[in-house]
Amino acid sequence: MFIDENETPESWWVSAVLKTIRAVALVCDIITFPIHLLLQRPWRKRELSRRIKARIIDSTNEALTVRSVCEPCELHVRMVRDGVGTMEAMLRAAAARYTDKPSLGTRTVLSEEDEPQPNGRVFKKFNMGDYVWRTYTDVEREAKQFGAGLRELGCRPRQNIVMFAETRAEWMVAAHGCFKQSIPVVTIYATLGDEAIAHGINETEVSTVITTHDLLPKFRKILAKTPKVDTIIFMEDQLQKTNRDGFKEGIRIVAYKEVLEKGANSKIDTVPPSPNDTAIIMYTSGSTGVPKGVVLSHRNMIATLKSFADAVPIYDDDVLMGFLPLAHVFELLAESICIIAGVPIGYSTPLTMLDSSNKIMKGTKGDATTLQPTCITTVPLIMDRVSKGITDKVSKSGEFASAFFKWAYTYKQAWMRRGYDTPLLNRVMFSKVRGLLGGRLRLMLSGGAPLSPDTHAQLKICLCCDVVTGYGLTETTSCATVMDQYDRSTGRVGAPTTGTDIRLVNWEEGHYRVTNKPFPQGEIVIGGDSVAEGYYKNPEKTKEEFVEAEGRRWFKSGDIGELHHDGCIKIIDRKKDLVKLQAGEYVSLGKVEAELKTCALVENICVYGDSSKNYTVALVVPHPHRLGELAAREGLPPMDFEQLCRTPAVEKAVLKELADHAMKCGLERFEVPAAVKLVTEVWSPDMGLVTAAFKIKRKDIQERYKDDIKRMYAS
């Protein structure tokens, strides 16, 4: 047999085996095709994917409004029938219906032990036990006791309380304890800096903060900036005793269980809230260093629960693994829909989730393997890491394994496009990948940032589950659009949820109009009961972004959407300078540019952020003389300005200079561009790249240098 001189014997062998596999697969396809056709009914899947999901209910040359055509589901109808109008009523109704069914699960940590590594180092690892579950009755009782305990400590109805804690069962119970006493919960991200935490505490004028054992030490410094705080409640650690010493004089440090004991012996009754009462004041991560508090009422939250119930399929045997921050509106509402639907929630952390996670002892099981969840909420950054992990593992698995995986992936992708699944291939090829998350996963819910189409497709194929993405903001209680479970497309965010209207409004400056062909385009304005009450103590910003019209409340998102024929929306641009990166951080491009322009090397700069990436890039017009000096310091030979701008070593040196300067200016690491393109032409009004006042015209610059931007992200 002829062998190509450039082909190794191993490559030839791999090629021959793959050809055999393809031939066998083709024969199997021909024999089993009628069976799969009858059992899987692919025409039905294609029909469901293509069906109209929303219709235009109002249209002019300036704006159009789209509304869902879906009917309320059984759970939605039951919530209306049971009179569930507040979060307090929601838990009460769930406890009455599901009583002894498991609700919130926490995995037992038996011990923390030293584990020697092959390199001689020793790491601390957890010896983990099983999940211990609170039933619905337990959760209802514990929430009632915690709420009464807060009252015993001096908290009053409609007086704010701060929740600054990592995600865990006690977070949810404590929040519902507050709801039972009509106490608004102020949520602050556990990852925020001391200044932002102090700002949220002071602006909401709280005297009591709920935190955890791990975060409590931060308050030794923060309390100096928060004069009104007199009580800190901490959720205990399973193994370590909490040190209560070293805090400012006059501060009460109270354990979570001590609050429960006070509540158990209390005669104080519940003070149920009304739908219009504030449930949550949720502080977003902000773009200028000062977070904004979004005021969410009970009505807002229940409206989103009804919309989510209609959009996301829920089954009796579902189990959710919760690990995203509950201070994020998406996770809070996703877990809340599980509570009202009777779905158990098992809590996890990134340190213990997988068998290979940092704190899991070798040979023991991670949370996912133990819990075997059917549903998981996640964000694109984590999904991208999983995707890259799969790709890296495949590339290191040897020539044959890598080639076979690529064939299997392409084979499944081709059949999925026609509306089929590949059950045998799933079992043979993808079961190991699926097993990383317990082996039962059927649904991944993605939110918080745009999900890249490639990651979407890969995880759907390799994890053998539905990947559903959506679109929403804290200001709309995470509700706006959700992808239909039967939709086989990627890159879109779905149709409006029930109870929510999506309006596209012309943005002339960006040339986005509802009359554009082939698809109407415009700024997304969201209307419905899920739209927040406004920003806390910020009437000017509230008036700017929230509108009352046609008997309902609307929020101007600043995002640019495109309406497709089936009623689904695609996010295509961002009106404001504010960009949300894939990890969820907000970057104010204008602020970063203003700081970096003060660097001696920079004549002008335009920073660009792609929401599907976790970093920004920059187009820089450098100062010719200073650029020459920098090149000389780097030991590069003399060259003209254009050559300098094209030299990778010079780009690398400029990037370092910008990073050093950004650090001096106090910019966060994620705000600093990770790649630069040095531009030789000076931007002028004549070129149409800056205004007469020499303010950059962002969209025109990005259009002119779009190929360079693509190259920067590709590199």
Side-chain angles (χ1 to χ4, degrees):
M1 188 179 289
F2 175 75
I3 300 178
D4 191 330
E5 289 180 4
N6 296 320
E7 190 173 41
T8 64
E10 186 180 356
S11 297
W12 174 83
W13 173 79
V14 168
S15 178
V17 173
L18 278 177
K19 284 176 183 175
T20 305
I21 290 171
R22 288 193 195 103
V24 171
L26 179 62
V27 173
C28 289
D29 289 345
I30 294 168
I31 294 170
T32 62
F33 182 76
I35 300 168
H36 284 295
L37 186 69
L38 291 171
L39 291 177
Q40 297 197 43
R41 303 170 71 199
W43 65 89
R44 179 63 179 153
K45 292 180 186 176
R46 294 194 294 265
E47 195 179 283
L48 287 168
S49 179
R50 289 194 297 257
R51 80 186 193 285
I52 301 298
K53 302 162 190 74
R55 295 189 188 279
I56 296 172
I57 59 167
D58 185 48
S59 179
T60 67
N61 285 336
E62 286 74 41
L64 61 81
T65 307
V66 191
R67 183 173 292 172
S68 172
V69 298
C70 295
E71 293 295 322
C73 70
E74 183 187 344
L75 179 56
H76 182 153
V77 172
R78 193 171 76 221
M79 288 174 70
V80 174
R81 189 177 61 234
D82 292 348
V84 175
T86 66
M87 294 296 283
E88 186 274 336
M90 182 273 283
L91 180 61
R92 200 159 20 91
R97 185 176 186 86
Y98 302 112
T99 57
D100 295 329
K101 185 175 182 180
S103 177
L104 306 180
T106 300
R107 198 167 177 203
T108 308
V109 182
L110 301 174
S111 61
E112 189 174 31
E113 300 175 15
D114 290 338
E115 183 181 86
Q117 305 301 306
N119 61 7
R121 298 178 68 185
V122 176
F123 291 141
K124 295 273 187 190
K125 302 279 180 138
F126 288 144
N127 178 16
M128 307 283 284
D130 291 327
Y131 271 88
V132 176
W133 292 90
R134 290 171 169 91
T135 66
Y136 275 84
T137 302
D138 294 335
V139 173
E140 164 76 0
R141 181 179 60 249
E142 194 172 318
K144 189 174 180 179
Q145 289 174 356
F146 189 84
L150 289 176
R151 293 289 304 279
E152 292 288 345
L153 288 169
C155 298
R156 298 191 304 274
R158 297 173 184 83
Q159 180 187 47
N160 300 329
I161 193 168
V162 158
M163 186 86 75
F164 178 71
E166 298 105 339
T167 295
R168 53 192 285 176
E170 289 83 0
W171 197 111
M172 187 63 85
V173 175
H176 277 280
C178 293
F179 297 152
K180 284 190 173 296
Q181 295 294 337
S182 295
I183 297 173
V185 178
V186 180
T187 65
I188 299 177
Y189 286 113
T191 53
L192 287 181
D194 291 356
E195 290 295 330
I197 297 164
H199 168 76
I201 291 171
N202 290 331
E203 188 172 69
T204 52
E205 302 179 82
V206 304
S207 59
T208 301
V209 174
I210 302 170
T211 189
T212 60
H213 164 90
D214 291 330
L215 294 173
L216 181 62
K218 286 179 79 81
F219 285 91
R220 289 194 176 96
K221 284 197 302 181
I222 293 170
L223 285 171
K225 304 170 186 174
T226 55
K228 290 197 175 182
V229 173
D230 59 26
T231 304
I232 299 180
I233 298 165
F234 68 90
M235 302 168 191
E236 300 92 336
D237 185 78
Q238 289 193 46
L239 298 178
Q240 299 177 47
K241 188 177 178 182
T242 304
N243 181 6
R244 307 191 198 191
D245 300 328
F247 290 90
K248 195 170 77 174
E249 192 177 341
I251 301 294
R252 287 186 297 182
I253 309 293
V254 187
Y256 176 88
K257 287 177 183 172
E258 291 169 1
V259 180
L260 291 181
E261 288 169 13
K262 285 180 183 292
N265 299 316
S266 175
K267 303 296 182 188
I268 296 173
D269 206 354
T270 57
V271 181
S274 72
N276 291 326
D277 281 337
T278 299
I280 298 277
I281 301 172
M282 187 162 280
Y283 275 82
T284 62
S285 46
S287 62
T288 60
V290 180
K292 296 193 297 284
V294 179
V295 181
L296 303 175
S297 66
H298 286 271
R299 177 175 56 85
N300 295 148
M301 299 183 77
I302 296 302
T304 292
L305 290 187
K306 291 172 181 173
S307 295
F308 278 11
D310 295 334
V312 182
I314 299 167
Y315 303 120
D316 289 341
D317 62 344
D318 274 331
V319 177
L320 177 82
M321 183 164 69
F323 71 96
L324 292 181
L326 274 165
H328 190 293
V329 68
F330 171 58
E331 180 69 12
L332 177 58
L333 270 297
E335 291 191 20
S336 294
I337 193 65
C338 289
I339 289 174
I340 190 61
V343 173
I345 304 166
Y347 287 97
S348 178
T349 73
L351 295 175
T352 60
M353 186 184 297
L354 306 178
D355 295 353
S356 58
S357 291
N358 290 347
K359 291 296 267 183
I360 295 295
M361 290 182 69
K362 195 171 183 181
T364 62
K365 294 178 180 179
D367 298 337
T369 308
T370 303
L371 186 66
Q372 295 187 311
T374 61
C375 307
I376 187 171
T377 51
T378 185
V379 291
L381 180 68
I382 293 171
M383 297 171 82
D384 275 344
R385 285 175 182 166
V386 173
S387 176
K388 287 171 186 172
I390 293 170
T391 304
D392 290 345
K393 200 160 188 177
V394 167
S395 64
K396 295 172 184 173
S397 59
E399 190 176 354
F400 173 72
S402 178
F404 180 61
F405 182 90
K406 287 172 185 172
W407 169 80
Y409 185 95
T410 307
Y411 174 88
K412 181 174 179 178
Q413 192 173 40
W415 280 108
M416 282 177 68
R417 284 198 189 105
R418 301 178 190 127
Y420 291 89
D421 196 8
T422 55
L424 182 60
L425 192 63
N426 292 349
R427 187 178 290 273
V428 172
M429 191 70 225
F430 300 112
S431 59
K432 207 167 185 180
V433 181
R434 186 173 164 80
L436 293 174
L437 288 170
R440 293 180 64 224
L441 196 67
R442 69 164 188 87
L443 178 67
M444 288 186 90
L445 291 167
S446 172
L451 176 63
S452 101
D454 290 344
T455 299
H456 190 155
Q458 188 185 43
L459 293 187
K460 194 171 181 178
I461 290 169
C462 295
L463 293 175
C464 309
C465 69
D466 290 329
V467 178
V468 172
T469 186
Y471 166 72
L473 305 98
T474 305
E475 290 88 343
T476 63
T477 326
S478 84
C479 189
T481 70
V482 176
M483 190 177 176
D484 186 82
Q485 61 170 318
Y486 301 109
D487 192 344
R488 298 182 301 135
S489 67
T490 57
R492 307 192 302 172
V493 293
T497 57
T498 54
T500 306
D501 288 346
I502 298 292
R503 181 169 287 167
L504 296 186
V505 179
N506 288 353
W507 184 36
E508 295 294 343
E509 186 184 338
H511 313 299
Y512 294 114
R513 303 180 184 92
V514 295
T515 53
N516 286 0
K517 303 295 181 185
F519 301 115
Q521 298 171 332
E523 180 187 0
I524 295 173
V525 182
I526 302 157
D529 284 346
S530 60
V531 175
E533 305 301 316
Y535 296 115
Y536 190 74
K537 289 186 178 178
N538 197 337
E540 295 83 12
K541 194 71 176 169
T542 298
K543 191 175 180 182
E544 182 185 326
E545 299 193 2
F546 293 87
V547 179
E548 291 282 351
E550 299 156 30
R552 62 184 357 189
R553 195 160 177 77
W554 300 81
F555 175 71
K556 299 182 227 177
S557 71
D559 292 312
I560 304 301
E562 181 176 87
L563 177 65
H564 291 183
H565 67 280
D566 59 352
C568 289
I569 301 288
K570 182 177 183 181
I571 308 296
I572 57 173
D573 209 340
R574 177 77 179 160
K575 184 178 176 181
K576 303 172 185 176
D577 285 350
L578 192 65
V579 171
K580 189 177 187 182
L581 299 181
Q582 199 170 42
E585 302 102 339
Y586 285 90
V587 177
S588 175
L589 303 178
K591 183 188 85 169
V592 175
E593 286 157 356
E595 297 289 4
L596 295 183
K597 271 183 187 175
T598 62
C599 176
L601 263 173
V602 177
E603 285 273 68
N604 212 338
I605 185 168
C606 178
V607 178
Y608 178 80
D610 185 334
S611 293
S612 67
K613 308 293 183 184
N614 57 8
Y615 59 91
T616 61
V617 297
L619 297 155
V620 176
V621 180
H623 188 288
H625 180 65
R626 297 258 161 74
L627 191 68
E629 289 178 340
L630 178 66
R633 286 201 303 273
E634 293 294 313
L636 296 170
M639 55 185 97
D640 63 34
F641 178 62
E642 291 196 358
Q643 282 181 301
L644 285 172
C645 289
R646 290 196 301 267
T647 303
V650 175
E651 280 186 352
K652 190 175 179 182
V654 169
L655 198 60
K656 186 178 183 305
E657 288 284 317
L658 289 179
D660 292 343
H661 185 78
M663 191 170 288
K664 290 174 191 171
C665 294
L667 291 179
E668 298 289 342
R669 188 174 178 182
F670 62 81
E671 294 178 306
V672 183
V676 295
K677 161 67 181 172
L678 301 179
V679 179
T680 55
E681 50 198 347
V682 177
W683 298 335
S684 67
D686 294 341
M687 295 173 67
L689 300 182
V690 293
T691 66
F694 285 89
K695 292 179 181 177
I696 65 168
K697 296 172 78 172
R698 190 177 305 283
K699 184 171 171 53
D700 294 318
I701 291 172
Q702 288 166 7
E703 180 62 26
R704 186 182 183 96
Y705 298 101
K706 61 184 179 185
D707 292 333
D708 292 310
I709 289 170
K710 282 180 187 173
R711 275 196 292 273
M712 281 191 280
Y713 273 122
S715 65

